[in-house]
Amino acid sequence: MRQKIRRIIPAVIFFATAVFTICAELTVASGATASCPGYKAYHVVETSNGLQASLVLNGAPCNVFGQDISELMIDVSFDTDSRLHVHISDTAKVQYQIPSSVISLSKGQPGNRDNKNMEFIHTHNETTGFGFKVVRDNEVIFDTIGHVLVFEDQYLELTSSVPNDANIYGLGETPGWFRRNPYNTTITLWNRDTPALFEENGYGSHAVYMELRNSKFHGCYLHNSHGMDVVLSDGSLQYRVIGGTLDLYFFAGPTALDVVDQYTQLIGRPNRIPYWALGFHNCRFGYKSVYEVNQVIANYSAAHIPLEAAWTDIEYMEKYRDFTFDPQNFPLEEMQKQLEFLHKRGQKMVLIIDPAIHVNNEYGPYIRGHEQDVFVGNADGSEFIGQVWPGYTAFPDWFASNVSRWWSGELRRYFDQLPIDGMWIDMNEAASFCTGSCGSGKPVGTVPPLPWEKSPEPHRPLSNNTFLVPPYAIHSRYIELSKMTLETTAVHANGIIDYHVHNLYGYMESKLTYEFLRNYRPNIRPFVLSRSTFAGSGAFISHWTGDNAATWQDMHLSIASMFEFGIFGIPMVGSDICGFYQNATEELCARWIELGAFYPFSRSHNSLFAYPQEPYRWESVAEAARRALGIRYTLLPYIYSCYQDAVERGWPVVRPLVFEYPHAKVADNDRQLLVGDSILVSPVLSAGARTVKAFFPAGLWYSWHDSHSVIEATNDVVTLDAPLEHINVHIRGGRIVPAQHPEMTTEQVRQNDYELLVATDSNGAAIGQLYIDDGQTLDTLHRWVDFTFHKRTLWIRQRSGQFAINHPLSKLVLLGVSGVYKALVNGEYVQCTISSIGNHTEIAGLNISLEKDSKLTLEAIH
C-alpha cells in the first residue's frame, strides 16, 4: 500500500511562465510578490493521521502588503476518507481565526492515512520555497509547487496550478455565469449592500469551489472570514486574502453530489424547512397599507393563482423601526386580523426585520440594548452609529455575551403581539447608508434625509490606518471597505475589530434568529430568509439573491445563482421573480414566472420605484403562472423528497446538467436546470423567442405536456416550441416521480391521494423515491418509500420510518408502456380504470397503501 504523504525533492523543477491577461490588477499583485522568498519546511513529523511541520521564511522578508510572518506551522490531517485538511497558520497564533463558538466545523472520523482517497505531497525549491500537491487517484487536483507562498499579517497569497481551460464552479456571492471564466476572473468576497451587479461582490461570502476534471469533480474550501480576491488566470487559481490563516479543506468527490455531501458534512447540513415554504410567495416593497395587502391576497384568489404566503416589507413598521407597526396604515389589530384570515385559509404571513436599531431614547429596543451594552462600538468606547431606514442607528454586536438574551427578548415581545409564520432578515451585511460612525455627536432621535434625498457627501480623505484601507485593495467597488457598512475599525465585544469578522455579521444574526424561533416554538421548524450569508448559513436560513433587475440577463443569471447556492449548502434559494428594480415587461414577467415556478424558493417581489408586477396584472402572465405553478404544486411530493436529500446529504434541489452528466458537453450550460435528477426545465431566456434550443443527454425524455412526445436523445440540441404561456418540462426516462393533484395551497395538496409518474427508459425500467413526514415539526416521524418498475411490475418497498401516510396511491401514469388491460396488487386483480393509448397508460381508481411493501403487476397485450 503506497504512502499517502511523501516528500519529493526533484532534481529539476520546470517552471511554466504564467501568461497573464490584460487584467492590470493581477499583474500588479503577482509582480509585487514574485520576489518574495517563500518558506522552508523543517521539523517535519508524520503522524498516524497526517503531518505537522514548521515553516520559516526562505530568505529576506518582502513585506509587500504587510509584514511577513517569519514562523508558520502546517498541520495536515485526513479528517475522513474523502476530506483532507491543510492548515497553514502563524506559530504565534496572532492571526484571527474563526472560533468554533461561532462556526463549529465537523471534525469527521479520522483513520489511518493509508486508507484515504487523497495524497498530500510536499517539496522544496530554492527559488519558490515550500510547495505542496493534493492528489486523488493519481491525479493532481491542487498544486502550489512552483508558486511562492506569501504569509503576511494583512496579506496571504496561495496559488495553485489548474488546467488552462479549467471548469471551476462556485465562489461567491458574485452574480455571473455558472462556469467561471478561467482566463480573466477576479471573484471578490466582501459582503455589502448592493444591487446584484454582474461579476461584483454581493451579499455573502463563500470561499468554496468545485472543479470538473476528466469527468470527475473535486472541491476546496478556505475557512477564513476576511475579505479576499480569488483570481483565475491562465493556468492558475490564486487566493489573495487580507488577513487570517490558510485553513483549507479538500474534498475528493468524485461526483458533484459527493463534493456537496462532503462539504456540507463539514459546515453543516441544510436546515429542515416547513412544507409550506415550498409554496408560492408574494411581496412588494411599497404596499401602502394592510388593506392593500388584503386586496392583493384576494386578487390572487380571484385569478386562481396559488398563494402560500403574504409578505410585507419595511413599510409596515412605524417610521421604519423594528418591532413596531404603523398605527395609521398597518395597525396591529388589522395585521392580527390579516394573520387570522390567512391561517383560516391555510396561508402564512412573513414580515421583514433589519438588524439596525434606531437610536432614540423613547424607543424600547434601543433603550434596552443600550442598557445591556449589546451594540457595536467605536475605538473610544462609544456606540458606533450609522444610518439606515429609520435614521441614525446602532448595530447589534452578535459577539456580545448578552446579545442573545436581548435579541430574543425583542423578538419575543414582537411575536407575542403578532405570531407570524416566518422571518425575513435583510440589510445584514451589515448595511449602512453612510460611511463611518456618521451619527456620533448628533442629537439622539435625529432622522437625517436618506442619501438619495440630498446632495452626495464628499468622500472623506483616505486613512493611513491599514485596517481602513488595507495595503492590498481587494476588488470591492469601494477602496475604503467601510463604505456603506460598519467601520472596519469598529470594535466588537471580544475586542476584535470588524475588519476580521465583517463577513460573519449576517451569519451570526441568522444563527441567533433561528435559535430564537427554535425556543419560542419548540419543535416547530423555523423559516428564516436571510440576504447575507456565509459558509454554514444553510443550517439556519433560506436565501434570496437580493436586488436584481427586471432584465433578461438577470433572469438568466438567476439560474447560475441557484446552482452556486446549491454548492454553498443553501439549497432553498430563489431570485425575485420578474426582477426587483426597473419595470418588467409583460413578456419578461411571463417568462420569469415560468422559470421562477421551479426555484426552490419561489417569490414575486419588486420595488416601490417600479410598477407593481404581481402575476395577475397581465392575463398572459396569470395564465403562465397558473400553468407553471400547477406543475410545481403537482410535483410538491417530489420536490420535498429532493429537499430531504439536501437535509440528509446536502444535495442541491436544483442542479445543472453537468452534475448528473459530467461526460456530456454541458460544462457551461446554465440555460437549463434539473429539479432533482428527474425533471428537466428548459426556459426561454430572450425577448421575442417562441422556440428554445434545449440540450438533451442521451436517453429518453418525455414531455410533461404531451407524454406521447418522446425525445430519444443522443446528447442532442433540440429546438422546442415555446409559446408565451408555455415552459418546456421533460421527465427523464428511467425515473419515477411522486405527485399529488395541485391546489391553491400546500396544505390542500397534502390532502390528496398520491400519484406516480413512471417514465421508463429504453429497457422499460424506472426507479424513484418518496419522503414524507408531517412537514411541520422537528421530531416528526418520517417515511422513505422506494419504487422500482421493471417488466411491467412496480415494487413498492419501505426503506425506513413509521410515519402514517393517510392517503393511498390511487393513480399511475406510465410513460413508455402500452397495451395494459389488467392490474394485480400482490397477486390479486383489482378494480381500476385503465386507459392505454400508444406509449401512454393511465391507471386510476387504485387504493394501494404506501405504508407497506406491495407489488403491482400489469398484464398487457403483447
Side-chain angles (χ1 to χ4, degrees):
M1 187 178 294
R2 68 176 184 174
Q3 287 289 94
K4 291 288 180 177
I5 299 179
R6 53 193 171 96
R7 182 171 182 268
I8 58 171
I9 306 178
V12 177
I13 298 181
F14 173 76
F15 293 97
T17 303
V19 181
F20 295 122
T21 61
I22 59 174
C23 177
E25 297 84 355
L26 178 61
T27 304
V28 168
S30 298
T33 59
S35 61
C36 290
Y39 288 81
K40 182 176 182 178
Y42 72 104
H43 292 164
V44 180
V45 177
E46 294 190 359
T47 67
S48 61
N49 193 46
L51 171 150
Q52 292 178 333
S54 298
L55 301 176
V56 295
L57 275 174
N58 194 42
C62 59
N63 298 328
V64 62
F65 294 119
Q67 297 297 311
D68 281 320
I69 297 176
S70 59
E71 295 187 4
L72 308 176
M73 59 185 298
I74 181 170
D75 193 328
V76 179
S77 61
F78 292 95
D79 290 353
T80 71
D81 288 348
S82 55
R83 187 174 88 208
L84 172 66
H85 184 195
V86 178
H87 189 192
I88 302 173
S89 60
D90 57 314
T91 303
K93 297 190 180 301
V94 173
Q95 295 289 101
Y96 181 79
Q97 299 180 41
I98 302 171
S100 59
S101 59
V102 175
I103 300 179
S104 179
L105 300 180
S106 167
K107 298 184 182 301
Q109 296 178 332
N112 189 296
R113 70 187 186 205
D114 292 334
N115 296 327
K116 305 304 176 184
N117 294 323
M118 286 184 285
E119 181 178 6
F120 180 86
I121 301 170
H122 65 98
T123 187
H124 180 81
N125 173 268
E126 289 303 319
T127 302
T128 57
F130 172 83
F132 68 88
K133 295 180 179 180
V134 176
V135 181
R136 178 201 58 197
D137 296 334
N138 296 316
E139 180 180 35
V140 176
I141 60 174
F142 196 87
D143 184 3
T144 75
I145 296 173
H147 303 285
V148 66
L149 167 65
V150 181
F151 201 115
E152 299 176 345
D153 57 350
Q154 283 190 262
Y155 184 75
L156 316 178
E157 182 178 295
L158 183 71
T159 308
S160 172
S161 299
V162 297
N164 285 334
D165 196 28
N167 296 310
I168 292 174
Y169 311 96
L171 300 168
E173 179 177 11
T174 306
W177 310 122
F178 181 50
R179 178 178 178 262
R180 297 298 187 183
N181 181 349
Y183 298 107
N184 183 16
T185 296
T186 299
I187 301 162
T188 299
L189 275 60
W190 182 260
N191 297 356
R192 68 189 184 105
D193 172 20
T194 174
L197 299 175
F198 185 67
E199 293 187 343
E200 290 196 22
N201 55 304
Y203 311 107
S205 290
H206 299 269
V208 60
Y209 73 87
M210 63 167 57
E211 183 183 353
L212 173 65
R213 294 191 195 179
N214 300 320
S215 302
K216 293 182 179 180
F217 284 91
H218 62 268
C220 178
Y221 167 59
L222 173 59
H223 190 55
N224 186 305
S225 57
H226 292 80
M228 69 180 77
D229 287 337
V230 184
V231 180
L232 304 178
S233 186
D234 273 352
S236 70
L237 181 151
Q238 185 176 83
Y239 295 99
R240 302 176 187 171
V241 193
I242 58 174
T245 66
L246 294 168
D247 195 3
L248 296 157
Y249 292 84
F250 299 94
F251 310 102
T255 72
L257 297 185
D258 288 336
V259 173
V260 179
D261 182 5
Q262 293 151 12
Y263 175 57
T264 56
Q265 183 184 46
L266 172 71
I267 62 164
R269 301 295 197 195
N271 70 97
R272 299 176 69 187
I273 58 169
Y275 201 99
W276 64 261
L278 293 175
F280 183 70
H281 305 252
N282 182 82
C283 186
R284 173 171 161 80
F285 174 30
Y287 288 136
K288 295 180 177 60
S289 70
V290 63
Y291 311 106
E292 183 178 2
V293 178
N294 288 343
Q295 188 60 54
V296 168
I297 297 167
N299 291 345
Y300 268 94
S301 180
H304 300 288
I305 298 172
L307 178 64
E308 191 71 20
W311 297 50
T312 307
D313 212 312
I314 57 174
E315 58 270 10
Y316 80 87
M317 302 175 186
E318 182 179 17
K319 299 178 180 179
Y320 298 140
R321 297 172 184 169
D322 279 349
F323 316 117
T324 65
F325 301 91
D326 180 342
Q328 275 73 47
N329 298 312
F330 291 88
L332 175 59
E333 58 273 18
E334 292 300 320
M335 295 291 284
Q336 291 168 337
K337 291 178 182 177
Q338 184 184 96
L339 180 63
E340 182 181 5
F341 174 80
L342 288 166
H343 284 179
K344 285 181 178 178
R345 293 158 52 95
Q347 295 169 301
K348 309 297 179 183
M349 177 190 284
V350 182
L351 300 181
I352 194 170
I353 290 288
D354 293 338
I357 299 297
H358 188 219
V359 176
N360 188 312
N361 288 336
E362 297 179 355
Y363 175 47
Y366 174 73
I367 296 170
R368 290 183 287 270
H370 178 77
E371 291 173 347
Q372 297 177 52
D373 193 22
V374 300
F375 297 123
V376 175
N378 291 309
D380 62 5
S382 63
E383 286 175 351
F384 175 88
I385 301 175
Q387 180 191 356
V388 192
W389 294 106
Y392 291 124
T393 51
F395 293 81
D397 179 3
W398 309 117
F399 287 95
S401 59
N402 55 348
V403 71
S404 177
R405 183 180 64 181
W406 168 79
W407 185 244
S408 296
E410 301 307 326
L411 288 173
R412 183 173 294 276
R413 292 182 182 89
Y414 177 68
F415 271 75
D416 284 349
Q417 296 178 87
L418 188 69
I420 58 177
D421 300 286
M423 284 191 63
W424 174 16
I425 52 177
D426 192 14
M427 306 288 284
N428 54 346
E429 292 73 32
S432 178
F433 295 156
C434 65
T435 301
S437 190
C438 60
S440 293
K442 301 293 196 309
V444 173
T446 300
V447 180
L450 294 168
W452 49 90
E453 296 174 345
K454 61 182 180 179
S455 299
E457 294 182 358
H459 293 290
R460 63 183 185 180
L462 293 179
S463 171
N464 292 325
N465 186 327
T466 59
F467 289 118
L468 288 174
V469 183
Y472 174 76
I474 61 173
H475 288 65
S476 190
R477 176 173 283 259
Y478 307 114
I479 292 177
E480 190 171 2
L481 297 178
S482 303
K483 188 172 178 63
M484 305 295 287
T485 186
L486 295 178
E487 191 95 85
T488 50
T489 55
V491 182
H492 292 271
N494 56 2
I496 297 296
I497 59 174
D498 197 67
Y499 178 91
H500 302 295
V501 298
H502 168 82
N503 287 337
L504 297 174
Y505 195 89
Y507 171 92
M508 296 182 73
E509 183 195 17
S510 298
K511 186 177 180 180
L512 286 185
T513 303
Y514 179 88
E515 290 174 352
F516 160 75
L517 289 171
R518 283 287 307 269
N519 292 325
Y520 186 78
R521 293 176 177 145
N523 200 33
I524 299 299
R525 300 177 200 179
F527 177 79
V528 183
L529 186 80
S530 177
R531 190 169 74 173
S532 184
T533 60
F534 192 77
S537 287
F540 312 110
I541 56 87
S542 304
H543 176 66
W544 94 108
T545 59
D547 297 346
N548 58 356
T551 65
W552 292 93
Q553 175 170 286
D554 274 20
M555 180 172 68
H556 184 176
L557 289 171
S558 73
I559 301 174
S561 294
M562 279 192 297
F563 294 166
E564 288 169 3
F565 275 89
I567 296 173
F568 301 158
I570 307 177
M572 187 62 174
V573 60
S575 297
D576 286 347
I577 294 171
C578 300
F580 181 76
Y581 285 120
Q582 303 178 23
N583 294 320
T585 66
E586 179 177 357
E587 181 188 16
L588 174 65
C589 205
R591 293 305 192 190
W592 209 324
I593 189 65
E594 291 166 4
L595 169 61
F598 297 93
Y599 293 164
F601 173 64
S602 185
R603 183 184 68 163
S604 173
H605 179 47
N606 81 320
S607 167
L608 81 167
F609 301 111
Y611 296 139
Q613 60 191 31
E614 296 88 354
Y616 55 74
R617 292 186 179 273
W618 301 277
E619 181 49 39
S620 68
V621 181
E623 181 59 23
R626 284 188 288 266
R627 294 184 188 183
L629 290 171
I631 300 172
R632 178 189 183 90
Y633 276 61
T634 299
L635 287 172
L636 281 173
Y638 171 73
I639 297 171
Y640 192 64
S641 300
C642 291
Y643 196 87
Q644 186 61 24
D645 276 333
V647 171
E648 296 182 11
R649 294 183 277 190
W651 291 0
V653 175
V654 169
R655 308 166 191 172
L657 279 164
V658 71
F659 279 18
E660 294 291 330
Y661 300 95
H663 301 278
K665 295 181 179 180
V666 289
D668 59 355
N669 185 326
D670 54 18
R671 300 184 67 87
Q672 296 169 268
L673 56 135
L674 284 166
V675 181
D677 67 357
S678 306
I679 302 295
L680 177 63
V681 182
S682 304
V684 171
L685 300 174
S686 57
R690 295 299 182 266
T691 61
V692 62
K693 291 183 177 180
F695 179 88
F696 286 90
L700 300 180
W701 295 88
Y702 299 86
S703 170
W704 178 277
H705 305 282
D706 178 8
S707 59
H708 297 288
S709 175
V710 185
I711 295 174
E712 299 182 31
T714 55
N715 294 323
D716 305 316
V717 174
V718 179
T719 299
L720 305 170
D721 289 333
L724 180 59
E725 297 160 355
H726 174 93
I727 185 166
N728 280 282
V729 178
H730 287 80
I731 308 169
R732 179 181 179 181
R735 293 296 183 267
I736 298 174
V737 177
Q740 286 173 296
H741 191 272
E743 304 285 356
M744 291 296 102
T745 67
T746 62
E747 184 178 298
Q748 292 169 338
V749 172
R750 285 176 62 96
Q751 301 308 310
N752 292 331
D753 290 352
Y754 287 91
E755 305 174 10
L756 291 182
L757 307 178
V758 181
T760 60
D761 61 16
S762 58
N763 296 315
I767 58 173
Q769 62 179 14
L770 170 68
Y771 174 83
I772 188 67
D773 59 23
D774 69 10
Q776 301 179 57
T777 63
L778 290 162
D779 68 356
T780 174
L781 296 174
H782 80 279
R783 191 180 294 269
W784 273 110
V785 183
D786 292 320
F787 307 109
T788 304
F789 185 84
H790 186 54
K791 294 182 178 179
R792 295 191 177 90
T793 300
L794 173 70
W795 284 271
I796 301 171
R797 296 185 176 96
Q798 305 300 304
R799 186 196 307 175
S800 66
Q802 298 295 320
F803 181 78
I805 302 178
N806 296 323
H807 303 281
L809 173 63
S810 64
K811 183 178 180 181
L812 291 180
V813 178
L814 302 156
L815 308 180
V817 178
S818 60
V820 176
Y821 68 93
K822 282 187 179 180
L824 296 85
V825 175
N826 298 324
E828 296 184 3
Y829 289 108
V830 293
Q831 293 293 324
C832 58
T833 302
I834 300 175
S835 172
S836 189
I837 303 174
N839 67 347
H840 179 118
T841 298
E842 290 191 12
I843 305 175
L846 298 169
N847 187 24
I848 302 174
S849 171
L850 292 173
E851 297 182 344
K852 60 184 179 181
D853 292 354
S854 296
K855 178 182 176 182
L856 173 67
T857 305
L858 306 177
E859 293 188 357
I861 300 172
H862 297 285

